[in-house]
């Protein structure tokens, strides 16, 4: 019979041998050792969350998140609340109604889905008719200055306020010259569009009481609001809260614009954009703070940096494997 010290020594030798085998295997298979160790050591506490509602805002990298959710749904054989008929949106820009979902009968029993992520204007009572009670709600925001610039380029021919103006700088210098309040939904992309997507009035005065109450309502319903400028950090935090695998949140950029097409506003133009989209600016400031508070509470900066690096390593591996020319398409 082995003595206790002998048993401990053999156990220690076995652990060293296993570690060496893993290391050599990683080198042989050309796998990043940090990534391999993360797969071995990062065990989620509990099963993955599969009931998810993503409020897809406009011009905020939300199409990339949409792709992640569709892929997760397909991989795990989950049901998705898709638009009725041949529509791309769930009734947008009107407030969402359950009947905008394919397969939902207004007079029939409630039908619940696992994933909801197409464009809609948020209307909680109607969303709850098609999503389970334990649904995880999240969305994404972008700095309103850059979001407005992107909207100006993308929706210039679609939005009356943008049609007759030569540049965003010119528009912001005198917005009421071009923006007609009475046109309502036609001009939603020209002012406080993210506020509008959340179901609020994008032309409401930015009065303190109203703004605070609206922000509190969003924070009460949405467990997480991502920040587009920190997309990789957002994916790491989302993955942790949903208890998903690393590959579930790896993505390639979609609908990205060439840097040549991006116009940088002057400092004066940026200040004017913040004032013009004051509701979006308050929204962004608030949830940028709550995002980093969640990062500190859930991960800490050191672990965040490590997991972001793992995500980027895995993305580079899949880009080399999946993309013919190694880059996203700009269509």
């Amino acid at each position: 019979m082995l003595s206790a010290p002998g048993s401990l020594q053999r156990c220690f030798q076995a652990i060293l041998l296993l570690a060496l085998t893993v290391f050599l295997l990683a080198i042989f298979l050309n796998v990043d050792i940090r990534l391999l160790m993360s797969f071995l050591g990062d065990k989620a506490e509990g099963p993955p969350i599969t009931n998810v509602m993503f409020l897809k805002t406009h011009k905020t990298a939300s199409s990339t998140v949409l792709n992640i959710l569709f892929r997760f749904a397909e991989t795990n054989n989950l049901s998705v609340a898709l638009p009725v008929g041949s529509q791309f949106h769930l009734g947008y820009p009107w407030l969402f109604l359950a009947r905008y979902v394919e397969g939902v009968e207004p007079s029939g029993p409630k039908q619940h889905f696992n994933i909801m992520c197409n464009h809609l204007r948020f209307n909680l009572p109607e969303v709850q008719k098609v999503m389970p009670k334990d649904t995880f709600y999240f969305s994404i925001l972008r700095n309103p200055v850059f979001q407005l610039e992107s909207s100006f380029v993308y929706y210039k021919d679609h939005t009356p306020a943008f049609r007759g103006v030569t540049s965003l700088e010119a528009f912001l210098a005198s917005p009421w010259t071009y923006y007609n309040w009475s046109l309502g939904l036609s001009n939603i992309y020209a002012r406080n569009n993210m506020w509008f997507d959340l179901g609020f009035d994008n032309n409401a005065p930015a009065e303190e009481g109203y703004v605070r109450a609206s922000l509190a309502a969003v924070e009460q319903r949405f467990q997480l609001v991502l920040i587009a400028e920190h997309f990789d950090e957002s994916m790491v935090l989302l993955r942790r809260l949903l208890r998903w695998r690393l590959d579930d949140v790896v993505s390639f950029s979609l609908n990205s614009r060439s840097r040549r097409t991006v116009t940088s506003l002057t400092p004066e133009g940026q200040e004017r954009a913040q004032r013009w989209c004051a509701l979006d600016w308050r929204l962004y400031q608030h949830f940028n703070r709550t995002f980093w508070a969640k990062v500190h509470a859930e991960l800490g900066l050191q672990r965040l940096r490590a997991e972001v690096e793992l995500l980027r390593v895995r993305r580079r591996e899949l880009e080399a494997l999946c993309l013919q020319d190694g880059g996203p398409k700009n269509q």
Side-chain angles (χ1 to χ4, degrees), residues 33-258:
I33 187 64
R34 295 166 301 172
L35 192 62
L36 183 59
M37 293 310 292
S38 75
F39 283 127
L40 292 175
D42 187 14
K43 299 294 184 181
E45 296 181 1
I49 291 176
T50 55
N51 294 328
V52 176
M53 191 277 164
F54 171 58
L55 179 64
K56 188 179 188 295
T57 50
H58 288 79
K59 314 313 297 176
T60 59
S62 63
S63 292
T64 302
V65 181
L66 181 81
N67 181 268
I68 289 171
L69 292 171
F70 280 156
R71 194 178 70 224
F72 183 82
E74 185 175 16
T75 300
N76 294 278
N77 196 29
L78 302 176
S79 60
V80 180
L82 294 174
V84 66
S86 58
Q87 299 298 312
F88 292 105
H89 299 159
L90 291 165
Y92 194 87
W94 291 274
L95 282 169
F96 172 76
L97 297 175
R99 62 182 175 86
Y100 296 150
V101 176
E102 183 72 52
V104 172
E105 298 295 334
S107 58
K110 293 182 180 179
Q111 181 175 352
H112 287 164
F113 297 84
N114 298 117
I115 305 288
M116 173 181 276
C117 54
N118 287 73
H119 274 307
L120 60 83
R121 189 179 180 203
F122 194 64
N123 183 10
L124 180 59
E126 291 291 311
V127 170
Q128 290 175 324
K129 291 180 180 180
V130 295
M131 296 301 294
K133 290 183 178 179
D134 64 348
T135 295
F136 182 96
Y137 289 77
F138 77 104
S139 188
I140 187 168
L141 300 176
R142 184 183 182 187
N143 185 317
V145 175
F146 307 131
Q147 195 269 350
L148 183 64
E149 187 276 336
S150 183
S151 292
F152 180 82
V153 173
Y154 194 84
Y155 298 111
K156 192 175 190 308
D157 296 330
H158 177 78
T159 301
F162 291 156
R163 285 183 195 145
V165 60
T166 56
S167 68
L168 183 57
E169 287 278 4
F171 173 82
L172 291 170
S174 182
W176 290 111
T177 302
Y178 309 98
Y179 187 87
N180 187 339
W181 192 305
S182 65
L183 292 180
L185 297 181
S186 299
N187 272 328
I188 55 174
Y189 301 113
R191 191 183 193 199
N192 295 312
N193 186 221
M194 294 182 291
W195 191 264
F196 178 87
D197 288 348
L198 282 160
F200 302 126
D201 179 5
N202 62 314
N203 286 313
E207 297 175 351
E208 189 63 24
Y210 167 70
V211 171
R212 285 181 178 272
S214 301
L215 294 177
V218 175
E219 193 164 0
Q220 183 178 11
R221 169 43 51 193
F222 289 83
Q223 288 96 317
L224 179 62
V225 177
L226 308 177
I227 301 298
E229 285 78 15
H230 303 287
F231 189 83
D232 287 350
E233 292 83 355
S234 293
M235 291 301 99
V236 166
L237 184 55
L238 178 68
R239 175 193 171 225
R240 178 176 179 83
L241 294 179
L242 293 179
R243 302 191 292 269
W244 287 7
R245 300 175 304 115
L246 177 64
D247 274 9
D248 292 331
V249 298
V250 175
S251 64
F252 305 143
S253 180
L254 294 178
N255 294 338
S256 60
R257 292 164 57 195
S258 167

Side-chain angles (χ1 to χ4, degrees), residues 261-301:
T261 68
V262 178
T263 302
S264 297
L265 291 174
T266 63
E268 294 79 8
Q270 293 187 30
E271 291 180 5
R272 288 167 177 161
Q274 291 173 12
R275 291 195 299 269
W276 175 245
C277 295
L279 296 170
D280 270 1
W281 181 242
R282 287 291 302 275
L283 182 71
Y284 177 78
Q285 285 183 307
H286 178 83
F287 284 102
N288 189 38
R289 289 193 296 268
T290 65
F291 173 81
W292 289 107
K294 280 187 169 62
V295 165
H296 284 283
E298 294 288 338
L299 292 160
L301 291 180

